[in-house]
Amino acid sequence: MKIRLVVAKYREDLTWLNQIVNHGLDVIIYDKSDISLNKSNDYVKVSDNYFKLPNIGREAHTYIKHIVENYDDLYDVEVFSQGGVYDHVPDFWNKVEILKYNKFDFWK
């Protein structure tokens, strides 16, 4: 099963991602912080897993954009997160580990 973490970032410290990447999970980051974009106001691809987006909408905008633009190439599981993940889900890493091992009852 392929699992990808999709992060909607705005000025957050993403050092927590080192733990994720070191455990073999794919990560894609969409950054909406302090950027100047081209006239088309579209995303600018910085690397294969890092994109800069215009600062419009909230994280839901980022997640929908990811789903629409990657619809034919979505992973088996796409995990969506804000950049400050532990502010919202203090045991995030535990939930990802459980998911990684196919235990889908982790919300209980």
Side-chain angles (χ1 to χ4, degrees):
M1 174 173 63
K2 291 176 64 175
I3 301 172
R4 175 167 48 197
L5 175 62
V6 178
V7 179
K9 176 192 182 313
Y10 181 78
R11 296 184 182 172
E12 295 94 353
D13 177 5
L14 297 183
T15 55
W16 61 270
L17 282 175
N18 293 331
Q19 187 177 21
I20 302 289
V21 174
N22 290 338
H23 283 84
L25 294 177
D26 289 338
V27 177
I28 190 165
I29 300 166
Y30 294 96
D31 184 355
K32 291 186 173 184
S33 61
D34 304 319
I35 57 176
S36 58
L37 295 175
N38 58 26
K39 289 187 270 183
S40 69
N41 206 28
D42 202 348
Y43 72 88
V44 175
K45 186 174 182 181
V46 178
S47 73
D48 286 343
N49 65 346
Y50 186 90
F51 298 85
K52 291 194 172 207
L53 297 176
N55 187 18
I56 57 174
R58 295 183 59 99
E59 65 275 3
H61 167 268
T62 304
Y63 305 152
I64 293 295
K65 184 173 186 63
H66 172 79
I67 292 167
V68 169
E69 292 186 354
N70 295 282
Y71 188 78
D72 292 328
D73 297 311
L74 291 173
Y75 280 30
D76 299 319
V77 175
E78 299 274 350
V79 177
F80 297 95
S81 170
Q82 295 174 323
V85 68
Y86 294 113
D87 296 339
H88 304 280
V89 184
D91 62 342
F92 178 79
W93 175 246
N94 293 331
K95 291 190 183 316
V96 170
E97 278 290 295
I98 291 168
L99 180 63
K100 187 173 155 186
Y101 295 107
N102 294 322
K103 297 178 183 175
F104 289 99
D105 59 350
F106 68 96
W107 292 115
K108 296 178 182 177

